[in-house]
Amino acid sequence: TFLHGIAESFFTSHLGQVLEKDKSAEYARELEELFDRALEESDYTSYMKEHIRSAYREGVTGLAANILAELDDVESAGCEVDIHSSLLNGRADAVLKKDDRIIIIDFKKSPPQSNARYQLLIYKRIMDENAGMEVVDASDLYYYSFSLTTGRAHFFKECQNEKKLEQLEARLDEDLEKIGTGYAEGIWTPAADYDNCRDCSFRSVCRQRYFVK
């Protein structure tokens, strides 16, 4: 998407480099230029451009500063990183490194609904089960929202506390069991189009967009 593309351009241009908190203002100017140029070159109508500028410009230009305010100096380690397991697959929007920590960030236009949030736990589960990938701690899973709602920050953790983590893990385990059973019994088939899976209760866990007959 438009916003993801700007973030990807920024992190890709700094791939393998340490993003320094002291350079937050410099990064903000870089992101501002990326945003303005991308919007100018887009095919959006004048009305839509003004809406995008009003709704998301602040969140885009503050992307690096908001992240660095929470994490301090971090290394840009990857963008749009494909991750796979025997049952699941996904694509991490951004991967950062800090010392021996791996930090995963998922970009959103607006904060995800709390009852739909365990997307990043799926990514963690895939990486934990894959011998070729590094283990990710649940405390290092973050969402970045380009817009704000009342009482929320742009940058926030998937799991705010242990109780919430346990609840999300339990829901994820339950849904994965249902999906595995569905595959084994042949009752899951590819969705014909978006409308067939739009309202499915498994959308948050099903990265290939399947539906139950």
Side-chain angles (χ1 to χ4, degrees), residues 36-122:
D36 290 342
R37 183 168 62 250
L39 192 60
E40 181 64 28
E41 294 174 352
S42 72
D43 295 327
Y44 293 122
T45 64
S46 297
Y47 171 81
M48 195 64 190
K49 286 182 179 180
E50 187 57 36
H51 166 72
I52 292 172
R53 185 177 291 108
S54 175
Y56 304 117
R57 193 171 192 266
E58 179 183 344
V60 170
T61 58
L63 172 63
N66 288 321
I67 291 174
L68 293 172
E70 172 78 15
L71 301 175
D72 292 324
D73 297 354
V74 291
E75 178 186 340
S76 175
C79 292
E80 296 297 315
V81 179
D82 289 314
I83 50 178
H84 307 278
S85 72
S86 59
L87 181 61
L88 297 167
N89 71 82
R91 178 174 293 174
D93 289 340
V95 177
L96 306 178
K97 288 185 178 182
K98 184 176 178 63
D99 301 324
D100 59 348
R101 295 163 56 193
I102 300 296
I103 299 158
I104 299 178
I105 302 175
D106 190 72
F107 301 125
K108 299 291 186 185
K109 288 195 298 184
S110 58
Q113 297 296 318
S114 59
N115 61 359
R117 279 173 45 200
Y118 56 49
Q119 178 181 345
L120 292 175
L121 283 179
I122 295 173

Coordinates of all heavy atoms in Angstrom, one line a residue, residues 36-122:
D36 N 5.9 13.3 0.7 CA 5.5 14.3 -0.3 C 5.7 13.9 -1.7 O 4.8 14.1 -2.6 CB 6.2 15.6 0.0 CG 5.8 16.3 1.3 OD1 4.7 15.9 1.8 OD2 6.5 17.1 1.8
R37 N 6.8 13.3 -2.0 CA 7.1 12.8 -3.3 C 6.2 11.7 -3.8 O 5.6 11.7 -4.9 CB 8.6 12.4 -3.5 CG 9.0 12.0 -4.9 CD 10.5 11.8 -5.1 NE 11.0 10.8 -4.3 CZ 11.8 11.0 -3.2 NH1 12.1 12.3 -2.9 NH2 12.3 10.0 -2.5
A38 N 6.0 10.7 -2.9 CA 5.1 9.6 -3.3 C 3.7 10.1 -3.5 O 3.0 9.6 -4.4 CB 5.1 8.6 -2.1
L39 N 3.2 11.1 -2.6 CA 1.8 11.6 -2.8 C 1.7 12.4 -4.1 O 0.7 12.2 -4.8 CB 1.5 12.4 -1.6 CG 0.0 12.8 -1.4 CD1 -0.8 11.6 -1.3 CD2 -0.2 13.7 -0.2
E40 N 2.7 13.2 -4.4 CA 2.7 13.9 -5.6 C 2.7 13.1 -6.9 O 2.0 13.4 -7.8 CB 3.9 14.9 -5.7 CG 3.9 15.8 -6.9 CD 2.8 16.8 -6.9 OE1 2.3 17.1 -5.9 OE2 2.4 17.1 -8.1
E41 N 3.4 12.0 -6.8 CA 3.5 11.1 -8.0 C 2.3 10.1 -8.1 O 2.2 9.3 -9.0 CB 4.8 10.3 -7.9 CG 6.0 11.2 -8.1 CD 7.3 10.5 -7.9 OE1 7.3 9.3 -7.5 OE2 8.4 11.1 -8.2
S42 N 1.5 10.0 -7.0 CA 0.4 9.1 -7.0 C -0.7 9.5 -8.0 O -0.8 10.6 -8.4 CB -0.2 8.9 -5.6 OG -0.9 10.1 -5.3
D43 N -1.7 8.6 -8.2 CA -2.8 8.8 -9.1 C -4.1 9.2 -8.3 O -5.2 9.3 -8.8 CB -3.1 7.6 -9.9 CG -2.0 7.2 -10.9 OD1 -1.4 8.2 -11.4 OD2 -1.8 6.0 -11.1
Y44 N -3.9 9.5 -7.0 CA -5.0 9.9 -6.2 C -5.6 11.2 -6.7 O -4.9 12.1 -7.2 CB -4.6 10.0 -4.7 CG -4.2 8.8 -4.0 CD1 -3.0 8.6 -3.5 CD2 -5.1 7.7 -4.0 CE1 -2.6 7.4 -2.8 CE2 -4.8 6.5 -3.3 CZ -3.5 6.4 -2.8 OH -3.2 5.2 -2.1
T45 N -6.9 11.4 -6.4 CA -7.5 12.7 -6.7 C -7.0 13.8 -5.8 O -6.4 13.4 -4.7 CB -9.1 12.6 -6.6 OG1 -9.4 12.3 -5.3 CG2 -9.6 11.5 -7.5
S46 N -7.3 15.0 -6.1 CA -6.8 16.1 -5.2 C -7.5 16.0 -3.8 O -6.8 16.2 -2.8 CB -7.2 17.4 -5.8 OG -6.5 17.6 -7.0
Y47 N -8.8 15.6 -3.8 CA -9.5 15.4 -2.5 C -8.8 14.3 -1.7 O -8.6 14.5 -0.5 CB -10.9 15.1 -2.8 CG -11.7 14.7 -1.6 CD1 -12.2 15.6 -0.7 CD2 -11.9 13.3 -1.2 CE1 -12.9 15.3 0.5 CE2 -12.5 13.0 -0.1 CZ -13.0 13.9 0.8 OH -13.7 13.6 1.9
M48 N -8.5 13.2 -2.4 CA -7.9 12.0 -1.7 C -6.5 12.4 -1.2 O -6.1 12.0 -0.1 CB -7.9 10.8 -2.6 CG -7.6 9.5 -1.8 SD -9.0 9.2 -0.7 CE -8.3 7.8 0.2
K49 N -5.8 13.1 -2.0 CA -4.4 13.5 -1.5 C -4.5 14.4 -0.3 O -3.7 14.2 0.6 CB -3.7 14.3 -2.7 CG -3.2 13.4 -3.8 CD -2.5 14.2 -4.9 CE -2.0 13.3 -6.0 NZ -1.3 14.1 -7.0
E50 N -5.5 15.3 -0.2 CA -5.6 16.1 0.9 C -6.0 15.3 2.2 O -5.5 15.6 3.3 CB -6.6 17.2 0.7 CG -6.7 18.3 1.8 CD -5.4 18.9 2.1 OE1 -4.6 19.2 1.1 OE2 -5.1 19.2 3.3
H51 N -6.9 14.3 2.0 CA -7.3 13.4 3.1 C -6.1 12.7 3.6 O -5.9 12.6 4.8 CB -8.3 12.5 2.6 CG -8.6 11.3 3.6 ND1 -9.2 11.5 4.8 CD2 -8.2 10.0 3.5 CE1 -9.2 10.4 5.4 NE2 -8.7 9.4 4.7
I52 N -5.3 12.1 2.7 CA -4.1 11.3 3.1 C -3.1 12.2 3.8 O -2.5 11.8 4.8 CB -3.4 10.6 1.9 CG1 -4.4 9.6 1.3 CG2 -2.1 10.0 2.2 CD1 -3.9 9.0 0.0
R53 N -2.9 13.4 3.3 CA -2.0 14.3 3.9 C -2.4 14.7 5.4 O -1.6 14.7 6.3 CB -1.9 15.6 3.1 CG -0.8 16.6 3.6 CD -0.7 17.8 2.7 NE -0.1 17.4 1.4 CZ -0.7 17.3 0.3 NH1 -2.1 17.6 0.2 NH2 -0.1 17.0 -0.9
S54 N -3.7 14.9 5.5 CA -4.2 15.3 6.8 C -4.2 14.1 7.8 O -3.9 14.3 9.0 CB -5.7 15.8 6.7 OG -6.3 16.0 7.9
A55 N -4.5 12.9 7.3 CA -4.7 11.8 8.2 C -3.4 11.1 8.6 O -3.2 10.6 9.7 CB -5.6 10.7 7.6
Y56 N -2.4 11.1 7.7 CA -1.2 10.2 7.8 C 0.1 10.9 7.8 O 1.1 10.3 8.2 CB -1.3 9.1 6.8 CG -2.5 8.3 6.7 CD1 -3.3 8.3 5.6 CD2 -2.9 7.5 7.8 CE1 -4.5 7.6 5.6 CE2 -4.1 6.8 7.8 CZ -4.9 6.8 6.7 OH -6.0 6.1 6.7
R57 N 0.2 12.1 7.4 CA 1.5 12.8 7.2 C 2.3 12.8 8.5 O 3.5 12.5 8.6 CB 1.4 14.2 6.7 CG 2.6 14.8 6.2 CD 2.3 16.1 5.4 NE 3.5 16.6 4.7 CZ 4.3 17.5 5.2 NH1 4.2 18.0 6.4 NH2 5.3 17.9 4.4
E58 N 1.6 13.2 9.6 CA 2.3 13.2 10.9 C 2.9 11.9 11.3 O 4.0 11.8 11.8 CB 1.4 13.8 12.0 CG 2.0 13.9 13.4 CD 1.1 14.4 14.4 OE1 0.0 14.9 14.0 OE2 1.4 14.2 15.6
G59 N 2.0 10.8 11.1 CA 2.4 9.5 11.5 C 3.6 9.0 10.7 O 4.5 8.3 11.2
V60 N 3.6 9.3 9.4 CA 4.7 8.9 8.5 C 6.0 9.6 8.9 O 7.0 9.0 9.0 CB 4.3 9.1 7.1 CG1 5.5 8.8 6.2 CG2 3.2 8.2 6.7
T61 N 5.9 10.9 9.0 CA 7.2 11.7 9.2 C 7.7 11.4 10.6 O 9.0 11.5 10.8 CB 6.9 13.2 9.1 OG1 5.9 13.6 10.0 CG2 6.5 13.6 7.7
G62 N 6.9 11.0 11.5 CA 7.4 10.7 12.9 C 7.7 9.2 13.1 O 8.0 8.8 14.2
L63 N 7.7 8.4 12.0 CA 7.9 7.0 12.1 C 9.2 6.6 12.9 O 9.1 5.9 13.9 CB 7.9 6.3 10.7 CG 8.3 4.9 10.6 CD1 7.3 4.0 11.3 CD2 8.5 4.5 9.1
A64 N 10.3 7.1 12.4 CA 11.6 6.8 13.0 C 11.6 7.3 14.5 O 12.1 6.6 15.4 CB 12.7 7.3 12.2
A65 N 11.2 8.6 14.6 CA 11.3 9.2 16.0 C 10.5 8.4 17.0 O 10.9 8.2 18.1 CB 10.9 10.6 15.9
N66 N 9.3 8.0 16.6 CA 8.4 7.3 17.6 C 9.0 5.9 17.9 O 8.9 5.5 19.1 CB 7.0 7.1 16.9 CG 6.2 8.4 16.9 OD1 6.3 9.2 17.8 ND2 5.5 8.6 15.8
I67 N 9.6 5.3 17.0 CA 10.2 4.0 17.2 C 11.4 4.1 18.1 O 11.6 3.4 19.1 CB 10.5 3.3 15.9 CG1 9.3 2.8 15.2 CG2 11.4 2.0 16.2 CD1 9.5 2.3 13.8
L68 N 12.3 5.1 17.8 CA 13.5 5.3 18.5 C 13.3 5.9 19.9 O 14.1 5.6 20.8 CB 14.4 6.2 17.7 CG 14.9 5.7 16.4 CD1 15.7 6.7 15.6 CD2 15.8 4.5 16.7
A69 N 12.1 6.5 20.1 CA 11.8 7.0 21.5 C 11.5 5.8 22.4 O 11.8 5.9 23.6 CB 10.6 7.9 21.4
E70 N 11.1 4.7 21.8 CA 10.8 3.5 22.6 C 12.0 2.6 22.7 O 12.3 2.0 23.7 CB 9.6 2.7 22.0 CG 9.3 1.4 22.5 CD 8.6 1.5 23.8 OE1 8.0 2.5 24.2 OE2 8.5 0.4 24.6
L71 N 12.8 2.5 21.6 CA 13.8 1.5 21.5 C 15.2 2.0 21.5 O 16.2 1.2 21.6 CB 13.6 0.7 20.2 CG 12.3 -0.1 20.0 CD1 12.2 -0.7 18.7 CD2 12.1 -1.1 21.1
D72 N 15.4 3.3 21.4 CA 16.7 3.9 21.3 C 17.3 3.4 20.0 O 16.6 3.2 19.0 CB 17.6 3.6 22.5 CG 17.1 4.3 23.8 OD1 16.6 5.4 23.7 OD2 17.2 3.6 24.8
D73 N 18.7 3.3 19.9 CA 19.3 3.0 18.7 C 19.1 1.5 18.3 O 19.2 0.6 19.1 CB 20.8 3.2 18.8 CG 21.2 4.6 19.1 OD1 20.3 5.5 19.1 OD2 22.4 4.9 19.3
V74 N 18.6 1.3 17.0 CA 18.4 0.0 16.5 C 18.9 -0.2 15.1 O 19.0 0.8 14.4 CB 16.9 -0.4 16.5 CG1 16.3 -0.5 17.9 CG2 16.1 0.7 15.8
E75 N 19.1 -1.4 14.7 CA 19.6 -1.7 13.3 C 18.4 -2.0 12.4 O 17.6 -2.9 12.8 CB 20.6 -2.8 13.3 CG 21.1 -3.2 11.9 CD 22.0 -4.4 11.9 OE1 22.5 -4.7 12.9 OE2 22.1 -5.0 10.8
S76 N 18.4 -1.5 11.2 CA 17.4 -1.9 10.2 C 17.8 -3.2 9.6 O 18.9 -3.2 8.9 CB 17.2 -0.8 9.1 OG 16.4 -1.2 8.1
A77 N 17.1 -4.3 9.9 CA 17.6 -5.6 9.4 C 16.8 -6.2 8.3 O 17.2 -7.2 7.8 CB 17.5 -6.5 10.7
G78 N 15.6 -5.6 7.9 CA 14.9 -6.2 6.9 C 13.5 -5.6 6.7 O 12.9 -5.0 7.6
C79 N 13.0 -5.6 5.5 CA 11.6 -5.2 5.2 C 10.9 -6.2 4.3 O 11.5 -6.9 3.5 CB 11.7 -3.8 4.4 SG 12.3 -2.5 5.3
E80 N 9.6 -6.3 4.5 CA 8.8 -7.3 3.8 C 9.4 -8.6 3.8 O 9.6 -9.2 2.7 CB 8.5 -6.8 2.4 CG 7.8 -5.5 2.3 CD 6.3 -5.6 2.9 OE1 5.7 -6.6 2.5 OE2 5.9 -4.7 3.6
V81 N 9.7 -9.1 5.0 CA 10.5 -10.4 5.1 C 9.5 -11.6 5.2 O 8.6 -11.7 6.0 CB 11.3 -10.4 6.5 CG1 12.0 -11.7 6.6 CG2 12.3 -9.2 6.5
D82 N 9.6 -12.4 4.2 CA 8.7 -13.6 4.1 C 9.2 -14.7 5.1 O 10.4 -15.0 5.2 CB 8.8 -14.2 2.7 CG 8.1 -13.4 1.7 OD1 7.0 -12.9 2.0 OD2 8.6 -13.2 0.6
I83 N 8.2 -15.2 5.9 CA 8.5 -16.2 6.9 C 7.5 -17.3 6.7 O 6.3 -17.1 6.4 CB 8.5 -15.7 8.3 CG1 7.3 -14.9 8.6 CG2 9.7 -14.8 8.6 CD1 7.1 -14.3 10.0
H84 N 8.0 -18.6 6.8 CA 7.1 -19.8 6.5 C 7.3 -20.9 7.5 O 8.4 -21.0 8.1 CB 7.4 -20.3 5.1 CG 7.4 -19.3 4.1 ND1 6.3 -18.9 3.4 CD2 8.4 -18.6 3.5 CE1 6.5 -18.0 2.5 NE2 7.8 -17.8 2.5
S85 N 6.2 -21.7 7.7 CA 6.3 -22.9 8.5 C 5.5 -23.9 7.7 O 4.9 -23.6 6.6 CB 5.8 -22.8 9.9 OG 4.4 -22.6 10.0
S86 N 5.3 -25.1 8.2 CA 4.5 -26.1 7.5 C 3.1 -25.8 7.4 O 2.4 -26.2 6.5 CB 4.7 -27.5 8.2 OG 4.3 -27.4 9.5
L87 N 2.6 -25.0 8.4 CA 1.2 -24.6 8.4 C 0.9 -23.2 8.1 O -0.1 -22.8 7.5 CB 0.6 -25.0 9.8 CG -0.9 -24.7 10.0 CD1 -1.8 -25.5 9.1 CD2 -1.3 -25.0 11.5
L88 N 1.8 -22.3 8.4 CA 1.6 -20.9 8.4 C 2.6 -20.2 7.5 O 3.7 -20.7 7.3 CB 1.7 -20.3 9.8 CG 0.6 -20.7 10.8 CD1 1.0 -20.3 12.2 CD2 -0.8 -20.2 10.4
N89 N 2.2 -19.0 7.0 CA 3.2 -18.2 6.4 C 2.8 -16.7 6.6 O 1.7 -16.4 7.0 CB 3.3 -18.4 4.9 CG 2.1 -17.9 4.1 OD1 2.0 -16.8 3.8 ND2 1.2 -18.9 3.8
G90 N 3.8 -15.8 6.5 CA 3.5 -14.4 6.7 C 4.6 -13.5 6.2 O 5.5 -14.0 5.6
R91 N 4.4 -12.3 6.3 CA 5.4 -11.3 5.8 C 5.5 -10.2 6.8 O 4.6 -9.4 7.1 CB 5.0 -10.8 4.5 CG 5.9 -9.7 3.9 CD 5.6 -9.3 2.5 NE 5.7 -10.5 1.6 CZ 5.4 -10.4 0.3 NH1 4.8 -9.3 -0.2 NH2 5.6 -11.5 -0.5
A92 N 6.7 -10.1 7.5 CA 7.0 -9.1 8.5 C 7.3 -7.8 7.8 O 8.2 -7.7 6.9 CB 8.1 -9.5 9.4
D93 N 6.5 -6.7 8.1 CA 6.7 -5.4 7.5 C 8.1 -4.9 7.7 O 8.8 -4.4 6.8 CB 5.7 -4.4 8.0 CG 4.3 -4.7 7.5 OD1 4.2 -5.5 6.5 OD2 3.3 -4.3 8.1
A94 N 8.6 -5.0 9.0 CA 10.0 -4.5 9.3 C 10.6 -5.3 10.4 O 9.9 -5.7 11.3 CB 9.9 -3.0 9.7
V95 N 11.9 -5.6 10.2 CA 12.6 -6.4 11.3 C 13.8 -5.5 11.7 O 14.6 -5.0 10.9 CB 13.1 -7.7 10.7 CG1 13.9 -8.4 11.8 CG2 11.9 -8.6 10.3
L96 N 13.9 -5.3 13.0 CA 15.0 -4.5 13.6 C 15.8 -5.4 14.5 O 15.3 -6.4 15.0 CB 14.4 -3.3 14.3 CG 13.5 -2.4 13.6 CD1 13.0 -1.3 14.5 CD2 14.1 -1.8 12.4
K97 N 17.0 -5.0 14.7 CA 17.9 -5.7 15.7 C 18.4 -4.7 16.7 O 18.8 -3.6 16.3 CB 19.1 -6.4 14.9 CG 18.7 -7.6 14.1 CD 20.0 -8.2 13.5 CE 19.6 -9.5 12.7 NZ 20.8 -10.2 12.2
K98 N 18.5 -5.2 17.9 CA 19.0 -4.4 19.0 C 19.8 -5.3 19.9 O 19.2 -6.1 20.6 CB 18.0 -3.6 19.8 CG 18.5 -2.7 20.9 CD 17.4 -1.9 21.6 CE 18.0 -1.0 22.7 NZ 18.9 0.0 22.1
D99 N 21.1 -5.2 19.9 CA 22.0 -6.2 20.6 C 21.6 -7.6 20.1 O 21.7 -7.9 18.9 CB 21.8 -6.0 22.1 CG 22.2 -4.6 22.5 OD1 23.1 -4.0 21.9 OD2 21.5 -4.1 23.4
D100 N 21.1 -8.5 21.0 CA 20.8 -9.8 20.6 C 19.3 -10.0 20.5 O 18.8 -11.1 20.4 CB 21.3 -10.8 21.7 CG 20.7 -10.6 23.1 OD1 20.2 -9.5 23.3 OD2 20.9 -11.4 23.9
R101 N 18.5 -8.9 20.4 CA 17.1 -8.9 20.3 C 16.7 -8.8 18.8 O 17.3 -8.0 18.1 CB 16.4 -7.8 21.1 CG 16.6 -7.9 22.6 CD 16.3 -6.6 23.3 NE 15.0 -6.1 23.0 CZ 14.6 -4.9 23.3 NH1 15.4 -4.0 23.8 NH2 13.3 -4.5 23.0
I102 N 15.6 -9.5 18.4 CA 15.0 -9.3 17.1 C 13.6 -8.7 17.4 O 12.8 -9.2 18.2 CB 14.8 -10.7 16.4 CG1 16.1 -11.4 16.2 CG2 14.0 -10.5 15.1 CD1 17.0 -10.6 15.3
I103 N 13.3 -7.6 16.7 CA 12.1 -6.8 16.9 C 11.3 -6.8 15.6 O 11.9 -6.5 14.5 CB 12.4 -5.4 17.3 CG1 13.2 -5.4 18.7 CG2 11.2 -4.5 17.4 CD1 14.0 -4.1 18.9
I104 N 10.1 -7.2 15.7 CA 9.2 -7.2 14.5 C 8.1 -6.1 14.6 O 7.5 -6.0 15.7 CB 8.5 -8.6 14.4 CG1 9.5 -9.7 14.2 CG2 7.5 -8.6 13.2 CD1 9.0 -11.1 14.1
I105 N 8.0 -5.4 13.5 CA 7.0 -4.3 13.5 C 6.0 -4.6 12.3 O 6.4 -4.9 11.2 CB 7.7 -3.0 13.3 CG1 8.7 -2.7 14.4 CG2 6.6 -1.8 13.3 CD1 9.5 -1.4 14.3
D106 N 4.7 -4.4 12.6 CA 3.7 -4.5 11.6 C 3.1 -3.1 11.4 O 2.6 -2.5 12.4 CB 2.6 -5.5 12.0 CG 1.7 -5.8 10.8 OD1 2.1 -6.4 9.8 OD2 0.5 -5.3 10.8
F107 N 3.0 -2.6 10.2 CA 2.5 -1.3 10.0 C 1.0 -1.3 9.7 O 0.5 -2.2 9.0 CB 3.1 -0.6 8.8 CG 4.6 -0.5 8.9 CD1 5.5 -1.0 7.9 CD2 5.2 0.2 10.0 CE1 6.9 -0.8 8.1 CE2 6.6 0.4 10.1 CZ 7.4 -0.2 9.1
K108 N 0.2 -0.4 10.3 CA -1.2 -0.3 10.1 C -1.6 1.1 9.8 O -1.0 2.1 10.3 CB -1.9 -0.7 11.4 CG -1.6 -2.1 11.9 CD -2.3 -3.2 10.9 CE -2.1 -4.6 11.5 NZ -2.6 -5.6 10.5
K109 N -2.6 1.3 9.0 CA -3.2 2.6 8.8 C -3.7 3.2 10.0 O -3.7 4.4 10.3 CB -4.2 2.6 7.7 CG -3.7 2.4 6.3 CD -4.7 2.7 5.2 CE -6.0 1.8 5.3 NZ -6.9 2.1 4.2
S110 N -4.4 2.3 10.8 CA -5.0 2.7 12.1 C -4.8 1.6 13.1 O -4.5 0.5 12.7 CB -6.4 3.1 11.9 OG -7.2 2.0 11.4
P111 N -4.9 1.8 14.4 CA -4.7 0.8 15.4 C -5.6 -0.4 15.1 O -6.8 -0.2 14.9 CB -5.0 1.5 16.7 CG -4.7 2.9 16.5 CD -5.2 3.1 15.0
P112 N -5.1 -1.6 15.2 CA -6.0 -2.8 15.0 C -6.9 -3.0 16.1 O -6.6 -2.6 17.3 CB -5.0 -4.0 14.9 CG -3.8 -3.5 15.7 CD -3.7 -2.0 15.4
Q113 N -8.1 -3.6 15.8 CA -9.0 -3.9 16.9 C -8.4 -4.9 17.9 O -7.7 -5.8 17.5 CB -10.3 -4.5 16.3 CG -11.1 -3.5 15.4 CD -11.6 -2.3 16.2 OE1 -12.0 -2.4 17.3 NE2 -11.4 -1.1 15.5
S114 N -8.6 -4.7 19.2 CA -8.0 -5.5 20.2 C -8.4 -7.0 20.0 O -7.7 -7.9 20.3 CB -8.3 -5.0 21.6 OG -9.7 -5.0 21.8
N115 N -9.6 -7.2 19.6 CA -10.1 -8.6 19.4 C -9.5 -9.3 18.2 O -9.8 -10.5 18.0 CB -11.6 -8.7 19.4 CG -12.3 -8.0 18.3 OD1 -11.6 -7.4 17.5 ND2 -13.6 -8.0 18.2
A116 N -8.8 -8.6 17.4 CA -8.3 -9.2 16.2 C -6.7 -9.3 16.2 O -6.1 -9.6 15.2 CB -8.7 -8.3 15.0
R117 N -6.2 -9.0 17.4 CA -4.7 -8.9 17.4 C -4.0 -10.1 18.0 O -4.0 -10.4 19.1 CB -4.3 -7.7 18.3 CG -4.4 -6.4 17.7 CD -4.2 -5.2 18.6 NE -3.1 -5.5 19.5 CZ -3.0 -4.8 20.7 NH1 -3.9 -4.0 21.0 NH2 -1.9 -5.1 21.4
Y118 N -3.5 -10.9 17.1 CA -2.4 -11.8 17.4 C -1.6 -12.1 16.1 O -0.9 -13.1 16.0 CB -2.9 -13.1 18.1 CG -3.9 -14.0 17.5 CD1 -3.8 -14.3 16.1 CD2 -5.0 -14.5 18.2 CE1 -4.7 -15.2 15.6 CE2 -5.9 -15.3 17.6 CZ -5.8 -15.7 16.3 OH -6.7 -16.5 15.7
Q119 N -1.7 -11.3 15.2 CA -1.0 -11.4 13.9 C 0.5 -11.6 14.2 O 1.2 -12.4 13.6 CB -1.2 -10.2 13.0 CG -0.4 -10.3 11.7 CD -0.7 -9.0 10.9 OE1 -1.6 -8.3 11.1 NE2 0.2 -8.8 9.9
L120 N 1.1 -10.7 15.0 CA 2.5 -10.8 15.3 C 2.9 -12.0 16.1 O 4.0 -12.5 15.9 CB 3.0 -9.5 16.0 CG 2.9 -8.3 15.2 CD1 3.3 -7.1 16.0 CD2 3.8 -8.4 14.0
L121 N 2.0 -12.6 16.9 CA 2.3 -13.8 17.5 C 2.4 -15.0 16.5 O 3.1 -15.9 16.8 CB 1.2 -14.2 18.6 CG 1.2 -13.4 19.9 CD1 0.1 -13.8 20.8 CD2 2.5 -13.6 20.6
I122 N 1.7 -14.9 15.4 CA 1.8 -15.9 14.4 C 3.3 -15.8 13.8 O 3.9 -16.8 13.6 CB 0.8 -15.6 13.2 CG1 -0.6 -15.8 13.7 CG2 1.1 -16.6 12.1 CD1 -1.7 -15.4 12.7

